[in-house]
Amino acid sequence: AAPAEIADLEAASSAAIERAAAAAKATVKEHLLAAARTLTVAGDEYSIAVRDGLIVNLHEYHDAYGFIAIAIADVSALPSAGEAENAAIAAVLEQLIIASEAAPSINPPTDDLKPASMIYGAAARVEIAARSL
């Protein structure tokens, strides 16, 4: 496919996702639980990508990076809510940033690769924060 075709398809799919998200009218808790699940999937991908501190599957590393980036973008886009929700959002964003240290950029670090447990731990803490609402 041509780059312009791909860009058009990406724009159309993004618009469809935004319409579906708006129609779902998800609560802050539901958004945060979705972020926890997204991080768990990122951990699964990362655990395939990294073995013994080395990248063994670059594609899976890219998947993990993308899932973490999407979770950060989704939670960052949540509108201000009540005091408890805002506190949970802040706590979740903190955990998402911690998770992103495992996959800090599209190009993996050449050394000091973090264990997948860093992402899984953040996912668990995100779920705990979400379930507090």
Side-chain angles (χ1 to χ4, degrees):
E5 233 182 312
I6 293 170
D8 289 346
L9 291 170
E10 182 180 12
S13 64
S14 293
I17 290 168
E18 288 175 20
R19 285 191 306 275
K25 298 186 187 310
T27 65
V28 170
K29 180 178 183 173
E30 291 166 334
H31 279 284
L32 299 183
L33 287 171
R37 181 67 185 126
T38 301
L39 271 190
T40 299
V41 172
D44 294 344
E45 301 294 322
Y46 189 88
S47 69
I48 296 167
V50 177
R51 293 270 192 238
D52 300 322
L54 300 172
I55 295 288
V56 296
N57 189 319
L58 185 59
H59 174 82
E60 298 300 336
Y61 172 87
H62 288 153
D63 286 351
Y65 168 79
F67 282 121
I68 295 168
I70 289 296
I72 290 171
D74 288 350
V75 173
S76 295
L78 290 174
S80 185
E83 188 176 330
E85 289 90 354
N86 288 341
I89 291 168
V92 166
L93 283 171
E94 183 178 315
Q95 291 306 312
L96 292 170
I97 297 303
I98 290 169
S100 75
E101 292 173 15
S105 67
I106 193 69
N107 296 313
T110 56
D111 61 357
D112 194 32
L113 288 157
K114 310 294 187 214
S117 61
M118 184 174 196
I119 299 170
Y120 288 127
R125 290 184 291 278
V126 167
E127 184 172 350
I128 290 166
R131 293 199 182 279
S132 73
L133 295 177

